[in-house]
């Protein structure tokens, strides 16, 4: 039996949630490449928002390593 990990246990779920609410919100994508481009743009923007990334990691018990 597979155990389901809750939403808060995965930092990638938090990051994807942020992208869905910001970069890819309310958009119709012409093709898959357009979606990929928008997601990459959003991830690049998140690199400069350590407070948002820390929020995605805080519920998991993990910590982001500073550069």
């Amino acid at each position: 039996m597979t155990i389901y990990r809750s939403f808060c246990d995965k930092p990638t779920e938090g990051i994807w949630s942020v992208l869905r609410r910001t970069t890819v919100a309310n958009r119709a994508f012409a093709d898959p490449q357009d979606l990929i481009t928008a997601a990459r743009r959003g991830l690049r923007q998140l690199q400069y928002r350590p407070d948002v990334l820390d929020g995605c990691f805080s519920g998991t018990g993990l910590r982001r390593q500073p550069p």
Side-chain angles (χ1 to χ4, degrees), residues 7-41:
F7 177 79
C8 295
D9 289 343
K10 301 176 188 175
T12 54
E13 293 292 334
I15 292 170
W16 180 239
S17 176
V18 170
L19 289 178
R20 283 188 307 215
R21 287 182 279 132
T22 56
T23 307
V24 298
N26 296 322
R27 268 188 76 182
F29 298 100
D31 55 15
Q33 188 60 42
D34 192 25
L35 171 62
I36 292 168
T37 302
R40 285 183 178 165
R41 184 179 311 117

Side-chain angles (χ1 to χ4, degrees), residues 38-53:
R40 285 183 178 165
R41 184 179 311 117
L43 289 171
R44 263 189 256 115
Q45 291 171 352
L46 277 177
Q47 288 178 342
Y48 302 105
R49 299 287 312 274
D51 54 327
V52 175
L53 292 175

Side-chain angles (χ1 to χ4, degrees), residues 45-66:
Q45 291 171 352
L46 277 177
Q47 288 178 342
Y48 302 105
R49 299 287 312 274
D51 54 327
V52 175
L53 292 175
D54 288 340
C56 293
F57 284 102
S58 66
T60 64
L62 299 173
R63 292 187 183 152
R64 185 178 58 86
Q65 296 294 322

